[in-house]
Structures are given as C-alpha cells and as structure tokens.
Amino acid sequence: MKLRSIRLNNVRRFTEPVEITGIGPGLNVLSAPNENGKSTLFDALHALFFFDAKSWKQKEAATLAPHAGGNPEVSAEIEVDGEVFKISKTFTKTASKGEVTVHRDGHLFKQADAAEVWIRDLIKSPKDGGPAGLLWVRQGLTTLHAYKDDDTLTARRGLLSSVAGEIEDVTGGRKMEAIRAALKADLERYVTKTGKVSSNGLLGQARNAVEALSTVQTQLETQVNGLRTKLADRRNLVAEQTVLKDPETVKQQETKLHAANADLEAAEAHAAKHSAALSHVASIELALEGNRGRLTSLRERLRECDDASEEMRKTSDALTEHSKGLNAVAQELERAQAQETDTRAVSTKARAALDAVLATEADRQDVARRKELSVRLKDAQALTVQAANARKSVAAAPSRADMAVLEDAWRDYDLLDRANNASAAAITLDCAPGQTDRITLNDMALPQGVRTPLPQGGTIKISGFGSIQIHPAELGEAKALGKARAHFDQALLALAFDTLEHARKAARTRDEAQENLDRYEAQLKIAAPEGIDTLLTEIASLPEHVAADDVDLPSRTGAETAVGQAQEAHQSALVKLESAQARHRTVQDSVLRAQVTRDHAQTRSERAYAAIEDVDAARAQITTLQATGDDLQNDFNQAAAAVEELSKDAPDLEFAKASATRARGVAEQTRARLHEIDKGLARLEALIDHEAGLAVEEQLAETEGRLSTAKSHEADVLRELKVLQRLDAALAAAQADAHEAYIGPIIQELRPLLRMVLPGAELKLDADTVLPTGLVRPEGEDSYDQLSGGTQEQIALLVRLAFARLLANAGTPAPIILDDAIVYTDDDRIERMFDALTKQASDQQIIVLSCRQKVFRGLGGQTLTIQKAGPDLAS
Amino acid sequence: MTNFRFLHISDLHLGKPFGRFEDEVRSDLRNARQELIPSVITAAAQHDIEHIVIAGDTFDQETPSLRLIRQTVSAMGSASDLTWWIIPGNHDSLNADLIWQTFDTHAANNIRVLKTNTPVAMSEGVWLLPAPCPVRSPGYDLTEAMATQDTPDGALRIGLAHGGVVNFRPEEPNAETIPLDRAETARLDYLALGDWHGTLQISPRTWYSGTPERDRFKHAGRGVGLLVDVPFSGNAPKIEEIALGQYTWHALELNLSPGMDPIRALHGQLPPDPDGWRDSLIDLRLVGHQHLPDRMALQTELARIAPEFCHFEWDDRNLRTEYKPDDLDMIAQGGALRIAADMLKDEADNADLARDERDVAEAALTRLYSLVKDHAS
C-alpha cells in the first residue's frame, strides 16, 4: 500500500478543507513549524485507518473535532497492487452516524461496515497484529513499543513468521518446551540439576543394588566356603575315625602292646641280676685299691727319709765352699774403692786449675772490648754534633720547591724581557770622532756602534743640542713583562733574598749541607748502630781491668792435658770398682742361696723322719700289705668273670622300654584322637545342621543370578541415561540453531542500515521478543538499555525500516510514517540517518513529519505541504 | 513279560534359585520344580511304571536346605509302589554329604541311592550298571567300568550315568567325555544319561532325558521324562516322551523388515492360545529393520502383552530403525524439532561413528518420536 494524497476537513485547527497531494512512492518530507498541523495530520490518518467511523466514543476520534464543532472528515487516496482507492471517513458525535466509503477508480467500492472490513483487511491494526504499530512512529519513541507490548510483539513475530516461518514452527514452540520439560523430568530421575548422578536416582539405585548384592554375594561365598570346609572336615574326621576303629587294626595294636610289655619285664629281671654282680665286683675292687694305697704310702715315706738325708749333706758342703769365695772378693773390693778415691781427688784438682786459667782469659777479652767501644763512642758523639749543624744549615736555606717557583718566575720574566727587547725600538750610535761623550741615554753614556734597544723608551740627551725623548710603544707584551717581573720580585721577596744570585747561592749551600748531613748520619750508623745510649750501657757493663792476674797459673794447654789425664785415671778406677762390687754381690748371693737350700733340706729331713716314726716297723708292714693285695686280686678276677657271663645274651632293656613306651603311646594317642574326633564331629554336626538349614549355597546361586540381572539393569539404565542426555543435547542445539534462523532475516535487512549509521556495529535481538538486547561494536558490547537516547532512537527507527523491507519483500508494502521521530539525534549522526532513510526509500514509501525545518531540509526527498483543498470530487 | 518298563528322568535340579528373574517369576519357577516329584508319581501311575531312574543332579547344589532334602525324600517315599534309582550327578556328587547322609538316615526302602558302580538287580533279569559321580569333576570316564562288568547271561543291562558325550571345547581335552558308543561297547540294552538339559537321542539305545522342568531358554520347550520299554528280546528300546514340566520356555527370533506388520509377525511366533501364556516364558530377539512408527507400535504391543506371560523379555539391540522422510515429518516438518531429528538420524546413519554412539542416537530419535506423539495435542 502506498499513500498518494490526504484530505482533512473539520479536523482540529483545519476548519476549512486542506490537503496534501503529490505524495511520492519514496521519501516524502513535510517540514513545518510547530502548531502547523503535522501531528493533527498523523492522528487523522491513524483514525482513518484504525478506527471505525462509528467510534466517536473513542477518545482518539473525539479529539479530532475542532473547537468550533463539526464532524471531522478524513480521506486518503491509496494505491494497492496497482489500483487506486480512496478511503473516506466522517466521524460524528452521534457515533452511529459516522460514515465510511471506499472508492475505486472514482466509483464507490465499499461503504459502511463492508468498507470497515475492507480497511481492516488492508491494514491490520496493531491489535490484530498488524504492522502499523511498527511503522507508524510518534514523537520521541526510542523503543519498538509504539503500542501495547503484546500488540507489537505480535506484529514483530508475525512479520518474522511471514519470512522465517511461525516461531512455533521454527523453534518447536510450546511442543518443544513441553518435550524438553518432559525430558528434563525424565533426566531428573537419573541425575541432579548439575548433571551429577543422583544417589537416589534410578542409576544411583541400580548401582546401589549392584553394590549391595555384591556385598551379599561376598558374604554368602564366605558362608558357603565355610560350610564346604566344615563338610570336608567332617568327611575327613569320619574317614579317620573309621580307620582308627577298624577291629583288625585295634587287635593288632593290642597284641603289639602285650608283647612289648612282656619283653620289658624279662629285660628288667635280667638287668637286676647283672646289677648285683657288678656291685660285688666293685666292692672287691674298692678293697684292692685301699690296700694298694696304703702300700704305696709307706714306700714313699721311707724313700723321702733317704732323699732328705742326702740333700742335707750336699747343701752343707756347698755353703762352706761359697763362704770361702766371699772373703776373697771382699778384699778385692776394698782395694778398688781406695784406688777410686785417690784418682777422683787428682781429677778435681786438675779441673780447678783449668777453670782458673779460663776465667783469666775472659777478663782480658772484656777489657779489650771496652776500649774499642770507648773509641766508637767518641766518634759517634762528634758526628752527632756535626749532623746537627748540617741539619740547621739545610733548614735555613730555601727549599727546593720554593727555588723551583723562583726559577720558573725568573724564566718567565727573562723570556718576556728578551722578546720585548728584541721587538722594541733600538738605537745604534755612530758618532763622528770625538763626539761620543756628547750623547747620553737616560743620563748614561751611549755605547758606540752597539744596538741598544729601548723597550721603555728613554731620553737621549745631546750635549749642546738638547734632548730627544723616545716614547715606547704601548704594547701588550710590556704589560705581561711587568706582570712577570712583579711575580718574580714577589717570589724573591718571599724567600727573603734581594737577588736571584743570592738565592741561588743559598740553594747551593743547602745542597752541600744536605750532602754532609747524609754522610754524617751514615757514619753514625756504623759507629753506634743501636744508638749512643746502648753503646754507653755496654761499655758500663765491661770491666776496666783484669781482676786477678796470677802469674803462677799454668798454660791453658797444660791445664787441659792435666785434666784429661786425671779424668782418665779416675774413670779406670771407677770401672774396676764397679767390677769388684759386682763380683762381691754375686758371691754374696750364692752364699745366701746355699744357706736357704741347706735350711730347706734340713726342714725336709726333719719332717720325713717325724712322719715315719719307726723305720723298721714300716718296712715290716710293707711285706704284710703285699700278701693281702695278692689275695684280693684273686677274688676280683673271679667276680669279673661272673659279670662277663651275665652280660652275654642279655636282652636290650632300653630297646624293650622304647618299644613298650611306643606301643602304649600309640594306644593312648588312638584313644585321645578318637575322643577328639568325637568332639570335633559333634561340634561340626551342630554347625552343619545349623548352616545347612540356611541353604546358603542356594542363596548364593540366587544372589549371583540377581547380581547378574542387577548389573544388566544398571547397564540398561546407564544406556537409557545416555539416550536421554543425547536427545536433550540434540534438542538444545537444534533450538539454538532455530533461534538463529528465526531472527536471521531481520538481522540481514538491518545490518547494512545499521552500519551506515553505526559503522562496524551488530545488533543482537532476542528471538522470543524480537527486541534489541544489545549492540556489539568494535570497542565492545553494550546492553540496549545502556545506550544513549539518541542511539536507541536511531536503532528503533532502523529496525522499523528493516521490518518495512521485510513487509515489502513479503508482498505487503506499507508506508512508514514518522512524526518527529528523530529528536535526540545529533547533527552528525542525523546526516547518516538521512542516508539510511534515502536508501530505504528507493523502494519504500516513507513520510517524514518534522518541525526541524532547517535540519530536515538536508534530507531531500519529495517536499510536502498542507494546502487548501479544492472541492472533493471523489466524494 | 516281554519287556521292562521304567521312567528315565534327570537333572531335576531341585532348589534351583532362578536368581536372574524377578521375585514373582522366581517363586513360580521354584514352586514348579518342587512339584516335579508329585508329577512324576502321577505320570507313573498313568503309565503303569514301577521304576524311576534318575540320571544325576537331583539337586542343584551340594548343600541345599535340609527342608528341601527331607521333603524330597518324603515325597519319593510316599509312592511306595515305585522304586527310585538315583545316582549322584556333578551338582550333587558323593561329596554332597549333607544330601546323601540325609537320604541314608531318612529314605524309605523304595529309594535306592547308588553310591558305587557295582551293578545292582532292578528286577528279575534286569541289572542296573550305575556310574555315580564321586566328585564334581572326577577327571575320567565313569562309564568305562561298564564294559567289563558282568551280569547274568540273558539279563537286561541298563546303564545309568551323568556327563557329556561331546567335548564342546576340543582345545581342552576332557577325559570325562562318555564315548558315543558306550551302549555298544558295554553291551547295554539302554544307557540312561543325564547332564544335558534338553531331550536328546544319541543312539537307539542311548538317550538324554533332559530336565523334566525346563530351566533355560537354551533348552526351550516343555520338560519331559522318557518312558522306556526295553524288550527282553534284545531289540532296541521303545522311547516315549511324557510331559512333566509346567512351564514352556520359548526362545524366539523375530526377523523384521520395513513394511512388515510387526504385530502380526509377533503374534505369529507366540503361542497361539493365550490361555497358555501364563505358563510360558519368552525370550524374544528382534532383528532386522523397521520403520519408526512400526517400531513404536511393536514396542507398545510388547509392553501390552508382556504381563500376560510368566516372563517375557526381549532384546531389540539388533533391530535397526529405518527412517522414511515421512517418519521424520511425523516428528516435525521443520523447525527445531526437525533439526534435532535430522541431527540424530545423521548420527545414527554415520558409519564413521562407533556402534554404541549410533545406537544411542537411534534410540534418542525413537524417544523423540515417542515424546512428540505424547505431546501431539
């Protein structure tokens, strides 16, 4: 649909018919000041298209009436699918009298209710989900909610549905939500909201069941094994019991026991006889042994008496012999002692003489040393005085450094002076003979033929003639010369000399004094290397004269020879003495030992005779004892033969005992074992009876089956969970894709417009509400609410332009009518908005109403005006 | 008398717990086993049988409850006109003291537990050559002795043993295997075997009776006993199966293809008479391909009828869903639901993914279909 012209009569301020004609198919601009009727025009058009002619009671229609009264008349000429229609409505206070007509090509096409229906079909009202809510924009709207939210939502969805399909179809809509909700409910039977396996869920229960059955299975296996072990034990015990109670075995065992006992009794009886015979033998052997002991004792005591007597004799002889030897060595010792005493006295005397000679020699050396040191002391003292004088001279003279300063000052001055003289004016006198004296320079004779420079100028007087004043040139060098001279004079004065020569002479004197000082100090070091005080101390410690000069003293060599000889003689005497002493001690020891031996022999002899009392009686007793011994030996031989006879063919008592013990042990063990088996069997029977009643093996088999089923069930549940999760993921992914597909067309239409105004920007739309939610720009993303009013306004308008394009593409083009829709936009951005509008108007009718005449002049497009209308021919 | 008649049964496995089944089913199956002895007594009366030969594994475990043993002994003893010839099997070998001592103590004279392989006379001119299991795995052929055991000339020789005749694991030589020609080599008129839970004829004179109350889907069907008539003439025995079990086990495979009516196919496989369903256990394996709606319908039908059976389990892991565009349209023709459906279908069809991932995606798609149906309004 496109608007071609509009006509108003009796609408608010327009009490006379006005019209707007020439509305183009593209961009149209009605720019006029406020109160010019633009909003009236907008409202009138709105009423024409969206309100019944008989809807006076509706506030919007009633507000169209002028103050002066009258029935508002609105008509518009439109083009639909190449045909031209004119819609006319007259609103009256008596609503039922409202009129509506539709003409086609000048002929009445529809009227009354039929006309209203035709209009509603043509332009769905916002209430019916029509697009006008999107495309007709009142002043200052920055959102897409031109009408009630529900209405525009329907419009937006309707528009997108016409392009992308019904949102229900695209996103699955309520069916999808219901399926996902059911799926979610199913999933919650398995997992928590965070996707973890719920312990109370189906999978958790299945796992718990497997775990519980596994535990039961383990317990039952233990019980079954226990029962089987008990059964096996019982079987083994019964088998053993059977063997032990076997009559044949029992009989054999008893026979063996009887035989072993009989053997043991026989062996024990024989052993008793044997033991008695052995005791008899032992008693004889004991008597025989006693006899032998007494005989031996008597013989030994007699032999001891004889031996002690012989020893006594020998030791007495030896003592006598050793006593003689001791007297001889005692005399020899006395002689040696006397000789040693003599030689020692001689040696002591010779040593004393040598010491006296040596003491006299030492005194002489000290006196000589004192003399030498005294001479060096004198030299040192003289040198000390000379050195002090020289040091004074050196101190009084100018230092080398000061002299260097003075010499430098002189050299500077001398060099400048010579240069000055060389460059200064000079005169050379060449007088006629005899005239020489007539001429003086500065009152001094001027030498003949010599070049005399005059750096300071001067006065030449010529006797009889007058004088010639020569002025020096004012040269820089003269000043430097003066300065150098002053410096030199100052240096000279500092050293307190009147001339340089004097100073130099003093310097030379100082050098000589320094040289002398060095020499004196070197000599002093030789004379008194450790100082004069040390020298004085040493001299004081030395004697002035020899203490006692004994003229009777022998020579040193003689004294030393005498000492050597005396010591040698003494040493020889000492050796002899020690030898004599050793021999004396040896002989003395021998005597002592001989005495001890003799005493010991004497004691032994006394004891031996005391023990035997009577020697002859003892010899007779020996004879008697020998006869008794022979008798006892005969008895012993007979008894031993009897024992040997008993030992032959004797039964082995130990073996018999072992056999009997073993036979009794076996019998006892068998009894004990049978008792144990009875007890064990009784215990096992009780346990087996109890456990067999539980049918644990059956329970185990059942549990194994149930566990197998539980594991299978767990696998099934897990697979079911996987299926549900896979389906949920697929639905979520598909839903996300569908949302993208649904809002894709509007985003595609919007993108070029948006980038004309906001370069690089991308708008995010909510798929459900089809409303902007955010703006993504290179610098970042902002939510829609955070954007400025101007930007919101621009986006709202651009989205409408995009929707309008979608409408046009869908074959139902509709005009966009903007009533001061761009109010917050700044001048720069508005130019770009104009570009966007112009672009969109290439195939889209846009009517812009604005009071901003100056600004909107730059928009271009078809200019519209409200003008007086001619007669309404169509109606 | 021209022949000797007896009932050959084995593997009663009394006390088998059936742990993998739900409590209710487990209880039913256990009770059914307990009813075996009365069933045998009834059958014996109906078929004029005096001798019952049990070829091992009367009990499921070596240590069943004393109550069970005593009740079994009591039930057998109550049929005084019957003689029970019993050998221990591998489950209740001679090591099972608890069982056999209880028998020793409480069994009536008509119960003959054969604990050695000494031939015993069953009747005049009829000798039984037993081969009781001394332990669970004896490690040698227990029937070997039969070949050298003498019986009176002209007497019938009936072997009674428990064990396998085929070694199913050739890589592990099993010396316990009973030779297939044992009946011939031991000059047996009949060899009654136990251990195999299905009924199986090895030769005209050698049979496994199978368990009289089936206990697994591997040996599907209803448990029987073998009515054996051994002619004194030396001819081959006459064998007749006598139904003894209460429950019938069915191991079914339903091979579906797209377009096939799955419900019809299902009912084609099930026992036709719903009255017998409560005594039926079903293990249904679904294979092949189905369109999504058909699969959903099949699932609904399975869920509907399953409670009518004693036990009904099915495995649809090998049933693939084939999707037509229409199927996905039934979820949604466009929009997010369709995107999700397409996504899951692509994943289910993606051969590069692991089988498990593809299965999960396929199941998720089926679930989506189901949810969409639930929320169709």
Side-chain angles (χ1 to χ4, degrees):
Chain A
M1 182 191 86
K2 286 189 172 70
L3 280 167
R4 296 181 65 172
S5 66
I6 304 162
R7 178 187 169 91
L8 311 179
N9 188 26
N10 276 331
V11 179
R12 292 184 190 155
R13 64 191 300 273
F14 299 119
T15 52
E16 294 295 326
V18 293
E19 61 181 6
I20 300 161
T21 56
I23 302 174
L27 182 60
N28 301 274
V29 180
L30 173 57
S31 184
N34 289 331
E35 303 301 324
N36 196 255
K38 298 187 297 299
S39 293
T40 299
L41 175 64
F42 186 94
D43 291 343
L45 270 177
H46 194 251
L48 177 67
F49 285 115
F50 303 121
F51 297 138
D52 283 0
K54 296 175 180 175
S55 62
W56 182 262
K57 287 181 180 173
Q58 291 188 16
K59 191 179 172 186
E60 288 84 352
T63 58
L64 292 178
H67 292 297
N71 295 328
E73 296 172 15
V74 186
S75 64
E77 196 176 65
I78 63 172
E79 183 183 325
V80 179
D81 295 334
E83 289 187 292
V84 177
F85 298 88
K86 182 170 183 183
I87 302 170
S88 303
K89 282 188 180 175
T90 303
F91 299 93
T92 63
K93 276 186 179 177
T94 308
S96 60
K97 291 184 179 174
E99 292 177 1
V100 53
T101 58
V102 178
H103 288 78
R104 182 171 66 183
D105 295 333
H107 299 94
L108 183 62
F109 176 57
K110 301 279 183 186
Q111 64 179 345
D113 290 344
E116 295 286 11
V117 170
W118 185 85
I119 294 169
R120 275 202 292 276
D121 287 344
L122 179 67
I123 301 175
K124 282 186 179 175
S125 76
K127 284 181 182 176
D128 299 326
L134 290 176
L135 308 185
W136 290 37
V137 187
R138 288 176 185 276
Q139 293 177 358
L141 273 174
T142 57
T143 69
L144 290 169
H145 308 301
Y147 290 82
K148 283 175 64 183
D149 280 357
D150 290 346
D151 299 339
T152 52
L153 173 62
T154 308
R156 291 191 298 274
R157 282 189 170 175
L159 185 53
L160 280 182
S161 296
S162 68
V163 181
E166 287 294 335
I167 186 166
E168 285 279 318
D169 295 338
V170 176
T171 64
R174 285 189 297 278
K175 188 185 285 182
M176 170 67 98
E177 295 305 328
I179 288 170
R180 291 205 67 190
L183 199 54
K184 188 182 170 197
D186 263 355
L187 275 168
E188 283 175 357
R189 295 165 62 211
Y190 298 84
V191 293
T192 63
K193 287 180 180 172
T194 56
K196 289 182 180 171
V197 175
S198 166
S199 59
N200 295 324
L202 293 178
L203 184 55
Q205 286 172 4
R207 285 178 175 169
N208 291 342
V210 168
E211 196 175 332
L213 283 169
S214 297
T215 306
V216 172
Q217 185 189 31
T218 306
Q219 291 168 349
L220 285 170
E221 280 171 350
T222 306
Q223 288 182 31
V224 167
N225 289 335
L227 179 57
R228 284 179 177 161
T229 303
K230 291 182 187 82
L231 287 167
D233 289 349
R234 185 177 70 174
R235 200 176 307 126
N236 293 335
L237 287 177
V238 168
E240 191 180 355
Q241 189 184 46
T242 306
V243 170
L244 290 176
K245 284 185 172 178
D246 178 53
E248 189 60 31
T249 309
V250 171
K251 190 177 175 185
Q252 282 178 5
Q253 224 173 53
E254 287 172 351
T255 306
K256 279 183 185 173
L257 179 60
H258 288 314
N261 283 338
D263 289 348
L264 179 59
E265 283 173 14
E268 282 176 341
H270 189 278
K273 281 186 193 171
H274 187 262
S275 179
L278 279 177
S279 297
H280 182 53
V281 168
S283 67
I284 296 172
E285 195 173 19
L286 198 61
L288 190 57
E289 196 62 32
N291 189 64
R292 278 183 197 142
R294 285 192 294 279
L295 190 59
T296 304
S297 173
L298 274 174
R299 282 174 179 161
E300 282 178 353
R301 274 182 281 164
L302 281 173
R303 190 164 51 247
E304 176 63 12
C305 287
D306 295 343
D307 290 350
S309 298
E310 179 60 18
E311 188 183 0
M312 184 66 188
R313 186 187 60 75
K314 284 181 181 172
T315 53
S316 297
D317 292 349
L319 179 59
T320 306
E321 194 64 27
H322 283 303
S323 297
K324 287 179 186 169
L326 183 60
N327 290 336
V329 296
Q331 290 172 3
E332 187 186 342
L333 178 60
E334 280 177 14
R335 284 196 296 275
Q337 283 172 336
Q339 191 177 1
E340 191 275 336
T341 304
D342 293 347
T343 55
R344 184 172 4 109
V346 172
S347 177
T348 303
K349 193 175 175 183
R351 181 74 235 176
L354 178 57
D355 288 346
V357 169
L358 291 175
T360 304
E361 273 188 5
D363 283 353
R364 283 177 186 154
Q365 282 174 356
D366 286 347
V367 169
R369 171 73 178 161
R370 179 184 177 106
K371 282 180 181 169
E372 182 201 339
L373 292 179
S374 298
V375 171
R376 278 165 57 188
L377 177 63
K378 277 184 186 170
D379 291 348
Q381 286 169 337
L383 284 167
T384 300
V385 172
Q386 288 172 322
N389 291 337
R391 204 169 285 118
K392 279 181 189 168
S393 300
V394 169
S399 70
R400 282 180 179 149
D402 291 342
M403 277 307 294
V405 171
L406 184 62
E407 289 291 355
D408 286 347
W410 171 251
R411 189 171 59 251
D412 292 346
Y413 167 72
D414 188 46
L415 283 172
L416 283 172
D417 185 45
R418 288 184 196 197
N420 203 20
N421 285 342
S423 62
I427 57 172
T428 305
L429 185 65
D430 188 9
C431 296
Q435 299 297 322
T436 309
D437 296 338
R438 287 183 63 193
I439 302 172
T440 63
L441 176 61
N442 296 336
D443 297 330
M444 292 180 67
L446 189 65
Q448 177 81 10
V450 176
R451 186 177 180 276
T452 303
L454 296 173
Q456 306 294 330
T459 303
I460 299 172
K461 290 181 180 174
I462 304 170
S463 175
F465 176 73
S467 62
I468 301 170
Q469 189 71 35
I470 300 171
H471 300 285
E474 286 296 329
L475 297 173
E477 289 81 359
K479 281 185 182 174
L481 183 65
K483 207 170 176 181
R485 181 70 204 191
H487 185 227
F488 168 71
D489 289 343
Q490 194 176 358
L492 200 59
L493 188 61
L495 295 178
F497 288 104
D498 52 351
T499 66
L500 180 62
E501 283 309 312
H502 288 156
R504 284 175 173 167
K505 186 177 176 184
R508 281 194 298 275
T509 303
R510 185 208 56 217
D511 288 345
E512 286 167 5
Q514 183 67 49
E515 196 176 325
N516 287 337
L517 179 60
D518 293 344
R519 190 172 67 249
Y520 295 151
E521 285 177 344
Q523 287 172 346
L524 189 56
K525 204 136 196 169
I526 293 167
E530 294 173 0
I532 289 173
D533 291 343
T534 306
L535 205 54
L536 281 171
T537 304
E538 192 178 354
I539 289 169
S541 70
L542 294 171
E544 244 178 295
H545 307 289
V546 175
D549 202 356
D550 190 348
V551 293
D552 293 334
L553 286 174
S555 70
R556 179 175 174 175
T557 308
E560 285 173 347
T561 303
V563 166
Q565 288 169 346
Q567 283 179 338
E568 194 175 343
H570 182 235
Q571 198 63 33
S572 174
L574 276 175
V575 170
K576 283 177 184 169
L577 176 59
E578 285 172 4
S579 174
Q581 285 172 335
R583 275 197 300 280
H584 184 261
R585 277 196 299 276
T586 303
V587 176
Q588 208 169 25
D589 287 347
S590 299
V591 170
L592 286 173
R593 276 197 300 276
Q595 281 175 342
V596 169
T597 306
R598 199 266 324 272
D599 293 348
H600 184 261
Q602 190 172 357
T603 305
R604 180 186 173 190
S605 177
E606 287 168 2
R607 281 182 186 164
Y609 282 99
I612 205 161
E613 293 180 359
D614 186 345
V615 173
D616 294 334
R619 292 191 194 284
Q621 194 177 358
I622 285 173
T623 305
T624 307
L625 286 171
Q626 280 174 337
T628 306
D630 291 342
D631 294 343
L632 285 171
Q633 186 62 52
N634 287 334
D635 293 348
F636 177 79
N637 291 343
Q638 288 171 5
V643 167
E644 193 176 352
E645 191 63 30
L646 281 171
S647 296
K648 284 179 184 171
D649 301 327
D652 188 336
L653 178 59
E654 292 306 315
F655 180 78
K657 280 181 182 172
S659 295
T661 303
R662 190 168 63 81
R664 289 172 194 156
V666 168
E668 186 57 36
Q669 279 175 2
T670 303
R671 273 195 299 278
R673 183 62 188 151
L674 280 171
H675 182 63
E676 277 178 19
I677 289 172
D678 286 342
K679 277 169 53 183
L681 282 175
R683 187 177 59 83
L684 283 172
E685 291 292 350
L687 291 171
I688 289 168
D689 278 354
H690 170 67
E691 291 179 23
L694 301 175
V696 286
E697 200 177 10
E698 187 180 322
Q699 287 183 46
L700 175 60
E702 180 182 332
T703 305
E704 284 169 349
R706 290 175 64 190
L707 180 58
S708 166
T709 305
K711 283 180 176 171
S712 174
H713 177 61
E714 183 191 355
D716 289 345
V717 171
L718 187 59
R719 184 170 185 278
E720 173 69 5
L721 175 59
K722 281 184 182 172
V723 168
L724 293 177
Q725 287 175 327
R726 179 67 198 97
L727 178 55
D728 190 47
L731 290 175
Q735 212 171 15
D737 285 353
H739 282 182
E740 285 299 315
Y742 181 67
I743 61 170
I746 184 69
I747 290 289
Q748 198 173 350
E749 287 298 334
L750 178 62
R751 187 173 290 128
L753 296 172
L754 189 66
R755 291 188 175 174
M756 287 179 77
V757 179
L758 301 163
E762 191 76 52
L763 193 65
K764 293 177 86 173
L765 289 174
D766 179 78
D768 287 333
T769 62
V770 203
L771 286 174
T773 57
L775 186 67
V776 181
R777 285 182 279 198
E779 58 271 25
E781 180 178 345
D782 295 306
S783 74
Y784 188 74
D785 295 339
Q786 289 175 326
L787 298 172
S788 68
T791 306
Q792 287 189 16
E793 174 187 76
Q794 291 143 26
I795 288 171
L797 181 51
L798 294 173
V799 171
R800 285 186 169 85
L801 294 177
F803 275 127
R805 174 62 57 82
L806 288 180
L807 270 175
N809 292 345
T812 55
I816 300 172
I817 301 177
L818 307 173
D819 178 17
D820 269 338
I822 309 175
V823 292
Y824 300 117
T825 303
D826 59 34
D827 291 346
D828 176 49
R829 196 71 71 74
I830 208 164
E831 291 288 336
R832 286 186 258 165
M833 286 297 290
F834 288 168
D835 291 341
L837 285 168
T838 304
K839 176 180 182 299
Q840 207 66 357
S842 62
D843 56 357
Q844 171 71 48
Q845 187 179 46
I846 300 173
I847 300 170
V848 178
L849 311 178
S850 177
C851 61
R852 298 168 69 185
Q853 292 171 278
K854 189 177 175 185
V855 173
F856 274 73
R857 202 171 294 138
L859 178 55
Q862 179 73 35
T863 303
L864 303 178
T865 55
I866 302 174
Q867 56 196 2
K868 271 190 176 177
D872 186 0
L873 297 176
S875 58
Chain B
M1 193 165 66
T2 57
N3 57 38
F4 179 71
R5 168 173 288 193
F6 63 93
L7 183 66
H8 168 198
I9 57 175
S10 73
D11 296 283
L12 278 67
H13 284 273
L14 299 174
K16 189 177 178 77
F18 294 100
R20 81 174 193 85
F21 292 94
E22 290 172 1
D23 290 349
E24 239 178 333
V25 178
R26 189 157 61 231
S27 175
D28 288 348
L29 295 177
R30 286 170 60 103
N31 290 338
R33 298 197 94 70
Q34 293 299 95
E35 289 301 314
L36 271 176
I37 302 297
S39 296
V40 168
I41 293 169
T42 305
Q46 288 171 351
H47 294 89
D48 194 20
I49 296 167
E50 294 176 6
H51 298 275
I52 311 296
V53 168
I54 303 180
D57 285 357
T58 308
F59 294 93
D60 192 55
Q61 297 102 23
E62 290 187 350
T63 59
S65 71
L66 281 172
R67 180 173 172 272
L68 176 65
I69 305 171
R70 291 292 300 278
Q71 288 181 357
T72 304
V73 168
S74 176
M76 288 177 170
S78 67
S80 57
D81 52 343
L82 281 178
T83 304
W84 304 79
W85 303 90
I86 304 169
I87 57 165
N90 60 327
H91 276 254
D92 52 4
S93 72
L94 284 170
N95 251 354
D97 305 333
L98 202 66
I99 298 170
W100 305 123
Q101 280 185 14
T102 308
F103 268 72
D104 291 347
T105 309
H106 299 283
N109 290 333
N110 65 328
I111 302 171
R112 302 288 299 276
V113 178
L114 306 167
K115 296 184 181 175
T116 69
N117 61 2
T118 308
V120 292
M122 291 178 77
S123 178
E124 189 177 347
V126 182
W127 286 76
L128 184 63
L129 285 72
C133 290
V135 292
R136 193 177 189 94
S137 301
Y140 60 93
D141 171 20
L142 296 169
T143 66
E144 192 173 2
M146 294 178 186
T148 56
Q149 286 172 335
D150 290 330
T151 51
D153 289 343
L156 292 181
R157 289 165 63 87
I158 297 168
L160 179 59
H162 185 91
V165 293
V166 177
N167 183 7
F168 294 102
R169 285 172 292 182
E171 72 280 7
E172 294 175 24
N174 186 355
E176 297 174 20
T177 306
I178 298 168
L180 291 167
D181 59 352
R182 177 57 73 208
E184 286 71 37
T185 57
R187 308 176 312 284
L188 300 174
D189 292 287
Y190 181 77
L191 175 56
L193 292 177
D195 196 25
W196 187 254
H197 286 208
T199 306
L200 183 66
Q201 179 185 8
I202 304 300
S203 73
R205 295 179 187 274
T206 305
W207 281 75
Y208 282 99
S209 63
T211 174
E213 182 68 62
R214 295 288 192 254
D215 58 358
R216 63 193 71 172
F217 290 108
K218 181 180 177 184
H219 305 295
R222 186 178 174 194
V224 300
L226 297 180
L227 176 63
V228 184
D229 280 306
V230 188
F232 285 100
S233 63
N235 290 337
K238 184 183 168 196
I239 312 297
E240 182 186 345
E241 292 186 8
I242 297 175
L244 294 173
Q246 178 186 344
Y247 288 102
T248 308
W249 297 59
H250 301 270
L252 307 178
E253 182 171 292
L254 194 57
N255 199 334
L256 297 168
S257 55
M260 181 189 285
D261 179 352
I263 297 171
R264 187 170 184 163
L266 170 67
H267 284 277
Q269 294 250 13
L270 294 175
D273 182 7
D275 288 345
W277 285 5
R278 64 182 297 277
D279 288 332
S280 294
L281 292 93
I282 307 290
D283 176 27
L284 176 63
R285 193 163 171 271
L286 298 165
V287 297
H289 292 76
Q290 276 280 279
H291 287 310
L292 187 55
D294 290 340
R295 179 167 192 161
M296 296 302 299
L298 177 60
Q299 281 189 346
T300 305
E301 179 64 5
L302 286 169
R304 185 184 73 77
I305 63 172
E308 295 183 35
F309 289 81
C310 172
H311 172 79
F312 198 130
E313 64 186 46
W314 67 89
D315 177 4
D316 62 357
R317 282 175 297 181
N318 290 302
L319 178 63
R320 304 260 77 84
T321 306
E322 191 166 290
Y323 299 96
K324 295 183 296 186
D326 290 351
D327 296 338
L328 297 186
D329 285 349
M330 291 171 79
I331 292 174
Q333 294 185 349
L337 286 170
R338 181 56 180 260
I339 291 171
D342 287 340
M343 196 186 296
L344 292 171
K345 181 179 180 301
D346 290 347
E347 206 167 299
D349 293 342
N350 187 349
D352 293 337
L353 293 178
R355 182 74 256 170
D356 185 53
E357 283 181 75
R358 295 175 63 187
D359 288 348
V360 167
E362 189 178 303
L365 181 53
T366 307
R367 185 61 51 87
L368 178 59
Y369 180 86
S370 167
L371 286 166
V372 169
K373 288 285 172 200
D374 290 347
H375 295 85
S377 57

